[in-house]
């Protein structure tokens, strides 16, 4: 651990900054995790794109299709590949609470910087606040590592800003990935100040959130490595311009990515986000590979449409 439990908030405030990306996991044709491919991607993301941190083994990474041992190995590969050049936040999310703790302890032991745990799906519960607070408190009580909350619609409910602010008082809660309507995360930001990082996965809202809410952290999704190349780092560039207070220039750079956003969005089949994202990575020269069952692969026609849109979107390779 690079910090003591009671110093987790201060450490994250200083070190958990900039653009963090959620990693898609490359799998081989036989279904095994492509460890060399993941390491190759991580090296490109850090050295070529200057991504500051990586969200490992989340929904983008198909954690739901992986065994506990595979998830632990995924953590280890990321820590080894980052080698102090970028931060790591490991998804310890699971419906089984013992699994959450096992993964959290492994993340702490193998040298990860933080973990993220999404709000659990709850059964027979109509007023979740006390239960969800106790859920995060129980995790905090068991580990020392900094923890990010994560609220999204897949849980069947959204954590209210008031609940998030209450949980933010726990000593090693350092951030939240808040996948909610903007008015909710704006309200939470004003409630917690700089006590924890508040962030959302929307790249299209990132610049406005830097300017209007003084956000310091993008946590996190795949656009940082899907909308950029080593010679065309416009997300990085508009972020740095915004951090420097050069807002009009930042907006011009941000808006220039609209054709890339449209090409990606308009070719993504609704039921195949991971497969589409991996194929887009391959078009960029990164390691993609197939998705694991029961997810669906792209058809040849879907690949052709994606390739045509990619070639016309204006990204420089």
């Amino acid at each position: 651990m690079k910090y003591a439990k009671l110093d987790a908030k201060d450490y994250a405030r200083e070190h958990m900054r900039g653009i963090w990306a959620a990693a898609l996991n490359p799998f081989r044709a036989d279904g095994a995790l492509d460890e060399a491919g993941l390491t190759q991607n991580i090296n490109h993301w850090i050295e070529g794109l200057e991504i500051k941190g990586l969200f490992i083994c989340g929904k983008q990474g198909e954690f739901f299709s992986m065994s506990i041992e595979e998830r632990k190995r995924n953590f280890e590969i990321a820590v080894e590949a980052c080698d102090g050049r970028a931060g790591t936040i490991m998804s310890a999310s699971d419906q089984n609470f013992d699994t959450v703790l096992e993964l959290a302890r492994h993340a702490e032991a193998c040298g990860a910087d933080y973990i993220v745990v999404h709000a659990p799906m709850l059964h027979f519960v109509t007023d979740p606040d006390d239960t969800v607070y106790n859920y995060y408190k129980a995790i905090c009580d068991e580990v020392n590592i900094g923890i990010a909350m994560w609220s999204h619609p897949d849980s069947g409910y959204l954590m209210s800003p008031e609940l998030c602010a209450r949980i933010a008082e726990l000593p090693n809660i350092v951030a939240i990935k808040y996948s909610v309507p903007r008015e909710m995360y704006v309200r939470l930001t004003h409630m917690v100040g700089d006590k924890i990082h508040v962030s959302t996965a929307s790249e299209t809202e990132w610049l406005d959130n830097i300017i209007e809410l003084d956000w310091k952290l993008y946590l996190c999704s795949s656009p940082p490595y899907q909308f950029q190349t080593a010679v065309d780092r416009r997300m990085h560039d508009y972020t740095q311009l915004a951090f420097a207070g050069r807002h009009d220039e930042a907006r011009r750079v941000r808006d220039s990515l609209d054709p890339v956003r449209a090409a990606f969005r308009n070719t993504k089949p609704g039921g195949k986000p991971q497969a589409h994202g991996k194929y887009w990575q391959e078009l960029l020269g990164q390691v993609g590979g197939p998705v694991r069952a029961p997810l669906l692969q792209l058809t040849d026609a879907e690949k052709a449409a994606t390739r045509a849109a990619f070639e016309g979107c204006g990204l420089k390779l």
Side-chain angles (χ1 to χ4, degrees), residues 8-9 35 66 91 93 129 138 147 156 161 169 173 179 185 241 284:
K9 283 180 166 60
E35 297 188 9
M66 300 172 73
S91 175
S93 299
D129 282 20
I147 300 167
E169 297 293 332
I173 296 290
S179 304
Y185 69 66
L241 287 167
L284 286 164

Side-chain angles (χ1 to χ4, degrees), residues 225-238:
Y225 56 84
Q226 291 172 329
F227 295 178
Q228 301 192 104
T229 72
V231 296
D232 189 350
R233 303 188 305 176
R234 279 176 275 174
M235 186 177 179
H236 170 274
D237 293 346
Y238 80 66

Side-chain angles (χ1 to χ4, degrees), residues 164-220:
C164 297
R166 180 184 174 196
I167 296 170
E169 297 293 332
L170 295 169
N172 47 329
I173 296 290
V174 300
I176 181 169
K177 183 176 179 180
Y178 206 22
S179 304
V180 299
R182 192 167 194 271
E183 68 88 18
M184 291 179 67
Y185 69 66
V186 168
R187 186 149 50 99
L188 178 60
T189 300
H190 293 318
M191 292 172 71
V192 298
D194 68 351
K195 186 173 296 178
I196 65 169
H197 288 291
V198 179
S199 190
T200 196
S202 172
E203 182 271 330
T204 60
E205 299 171 44
W206 168 229
L207 178 58
D208 291 337
N209 293 332
I210 297 173
I211 296 171
E212 298 173 15
L213 300 176
D214 196 30
W215 280 12
K216 299 295 191 297
L217 172 68
Y218 176 82
L219 183 72
C220 33

Side-chain angles (χ1 to χ4, degrees), residues 121-128 131:
M121 290 181 285
L122 298 174
H123 306 283
F124 310 114
V125 174
T126 57
D127 182 6
T131 300

Side-chain angles (χ1 to χ4, degrees), residues 100-163:
V100 173
L101 293 182
E102 183 175 348
L103 291 169
R105 291 172 179 136
H106 188 74
E108 187 173 306
C110 76
D113 293 291
Y114 315 98
I115 61 168
V116 59
V117 181
H118 66 57
M121 290 181 285
L122 298 174
H123 306 283
F124 310 114
V125 174
T126 57
D127 182 6
D129 282 20
D130 286 344
T131 300
V132 174
Y133 175 82
N134 194 57
Y135 179 82
Y136 281 105
K137 184 179 184 301
I139 301 169
C140 287
D141 288 346
E142 292 291 332
V143 298
N144 297 313
I145 196 167
I147 300 167
M149 301 175 272
W150 186 7
S151 179
H152 54 66
D154 295 2
S155 297
Y157 60 93
L158 296 177
M159 295 166 59
S160 69
E162 291 75 16
L163 173 59

